[in-house]
Amino acid sequence: MSSTELRHTALDAVHRSLGATMTDFAGWDMPLRYGSERDEHVAVRTKAGLFDLSHMGEITVTGPGAAALLNFALVGNIASVGVGRARYTMICQADGGILDDLIVYRLAETEYMVVANASNAQVVLDALTERAAGFDAEVRDDRDAYALIAVQGPESPGILKSLTDADLDGLKYYAGLPGTVAGVPALIARTGYTGEDGFELFVKPEHAVELWQALTKAGEGAGLVPCGLSCRDTLRLEAGMPLYGHELTTSLTPFDAGLGRVVKFEKEGDFVGREALARAAERAAAEPPRVLVGLVAEGRRVPRAGYAVVAGGEVIGEVTSGAPSPTLGKPIAMAYVDAGHAAPGTEGVGVDIRGSHEPFRVVALPFYKRQK
């Protein structure tokens, strides 16, 4: 297999049969959209959407020292996560720079599943393997052991309930339980990247097509539609959720990204990046560098990652993600801006869109929050 050949998920033939527009995403051939990305976005906000997320990187950490290894390797307190629960966390370099943001599931007393972004899966695997030296724990690459299907949106609990006897009502946000869905063994997790209620189903690749088809059939009367990466991006942007390579990079610490809360200095023992992150926390408290904010357009032009944010003729920041927001009906962006221009309601801020300074309003993130 050549290094340029794209990887295909177990659902590749299904996507093609549905007429999906495919795209290269982190070396995987993934569905960008099936029809209208706006319609897919609205379906997730109002009904339900079905996503193939099999490009995500699953890494299993097992053994008596698994919790201690993860506490050392990651910035969060993983030892305090109960069996059946999950935690959002990050893995950082020794200098505090973010290597990736992760979800860690505690599957059993001495077994954890770390889910990394597709683009960073190998980096995270290598870092965990290296950091495992001296710990009584094994790090295993399980990327080929799982397909991952997500059902997101307000109708998703009802759709899933029709296919499983697992206790979905008792399943909290950021928790997971083993069960069967449409007869397929799955880890059912109440997690997602859309800002809506929803579930992520980890299954064996050979069961993916069967499960996708069962979910499609169960969702027919509820308005479920297949959804691609394009609407996943606009959904997470509206929900103010960071995307690695945009809001999170190795040149930023969690404190720079406004996510210092994920760093747990109070946990026992040392962890990679502790000293650098302690300094970053002090700097952020004394004089925050640039702050991650939301921007809402006054006009119709769409800002894109890398565009300069301006005020009074000066560059005061940079857009990290931008797109039209179907929910707000206006273009929106996330951007890092100087602290002096970061307060919600700040006026006189613009984005340089091909030489024209388009007016934007600074708002607090997220742009959208679902009604509980």
Side-chain angles (χ1 to χ4, degrees):
M1 183 169 155
S2 75
S3 58
T4 54
E5 203 173 311
L6 292 179
R7 298 185 68 183
H8 298 275
T9 77
L11 291 160
D12 185 69
V14 173
H15 301 317
R16 290 169 198 283
S17 74
L18 291 168
T21 300
M22 305 296 284
T23 188
D24 173 359
F25 186 83
W28 290 82
D29 204 14
M30 297 296 292
L32 186 64
R33 70 182 75 81
Y34 298 85
S36 149
E37 53 206 45
R38 188 183 184 284
D39 289 350
E40 291 171 25
H41 179 111
V42 172
V44 175
R45 287 275 177 261
T46 60
K47 295 186 175 77
L50 190 59
F51 296 83
D52 178 10
L53 305 180
S54 303
H55 60 312
M56 301 294 280
E58 295 87 3
I59 300 160
T60 304
V61 181
T62 56
L69 160 59
L70 290 170
N71 261 16
F72 169 72
L74 311 180
V75 301
N77 188 353
I78 308 306
S80 69
V81 177
V83 173
R85 298 306 301 264
R87 184 155 297 166
Y88 175 78
T89 186
M90 294 184 185
I91 182 166
C92 289
Q93 301 177 146
D95 67 1
I98 302 166
L99 280 173
D100 201 13
D101 62 335
L102 312 163
I103 295 181
V104 180
Y105 296 88
R106 188 170 196 165
L107 303 181
E109 197 58 40
T110 59
E111 183 181 2
Y112 296 82
M113 180 168 66
V114 177
V115 181
N117 284 298
S119 54
N120 296 325
Q122 191 62 49
V123 169
V124 173
L125 178 67
D126 292 345
L128 286 174
T129 304
E130 187 185 314
R131 294 173 190 189
F135 288 93
D136 187 4
E138 182 199 347
V139 176
R140 188 172 73 232
D141 179 0
D142 267 349
R143 283 176 287 179
D144 293 336
Y146 291 103
L148 178 56
I149 296 174
V151 193
Q152 298 280 302
E155 298 290 340
S156 57
I159 292 166
L160 202 54
K161 272 180 195 173
S162 72
L163 295 174
T164 183
D165 57 4
D167 178 18
L168 298 186
D169 291 334
L171 187 64
K172 294 186 172 73
Y173 187 50
Y174 268 76
L177 86 169
T180 56
V181 181
V184 170
L187 171 69
I188 304 166
R190 200 162 206 155
T191 44
Y193 194 50
T194 61
E196 297 301 332
D197 191 11
F199 303 87
E200 295 183 319
L201 308 170
F202 295 85
V203 299
K204 286 182 176 170
E206 58 264 32
H207 293 147
V209 171
E210 180 189 343
L211 180 58
W212 178 279
Q213 288 171 342
L215 287 162
T216 299
K217 194 164 171 18
E220 274 172 1
L224 176 81
V225 300
C227 294
L229 291 174
S230 188
C231 84
R232 189 166 182 252
D233 193 48
T234 52
L235 289 159
R236 70 91 196 168
L237 177 55
E238 286 184 351
M241 294 175 166
L243 175 62
Y244 196 89
H246 290 255
E247 289 72 40
L248 310 174
T249 67
T250 49
S251 62
L252 296 169
T253 72
F255 293 94
D256 297 323
L259 290 165
R261 65 180 180 277
V262 305
V263 182
K264 303 300 181 190
F265 292 113
E266 70 277 10
K267 65 180 174 177
E268 274 182 45
D270 195 18
F271 62 91
V272 177
R274 180 191 269 274
E275 283 183 27
L277 289 167
R279 289 194 297 273
E282 283 173 19
R283 277 197 310 274
E287 186 188 352
R290 285 184 167 176
V291 178
L292 187 64
V293 300
L295 298 175
V296 177
E298 306 283 350
R300 307 303 307 167
R301 297 186 73 185
V302 179
R304 298 294 181 192
Y307 286 11
V309 182
V310 292
E314 302 285 313
V315 173
I316 57 148
E318 186 177 303
V319 171
T320 53
S321 297
S325 163
T327 306
L328 276 65
K330 295 175 179 180
I332 59 171
M334 286 201 272
Y336 283 107
V337 302
D338 294 346
H341 292 87
T346 299
E347 293 180 355
V349 170
V351 174
D352 186 338
I353 301 181
R354 299 191 186 88
S356 167
H357 289 188
E358 301 288 331
F360 278 75
R361 194 173 78 256
V362 178
V363 299
L365 291 169
F367 299 95
Y368 165 85
K369 219 174 194 162
R370 73 181 171 99
Q371 301 302 309
K372 290 284 191 288

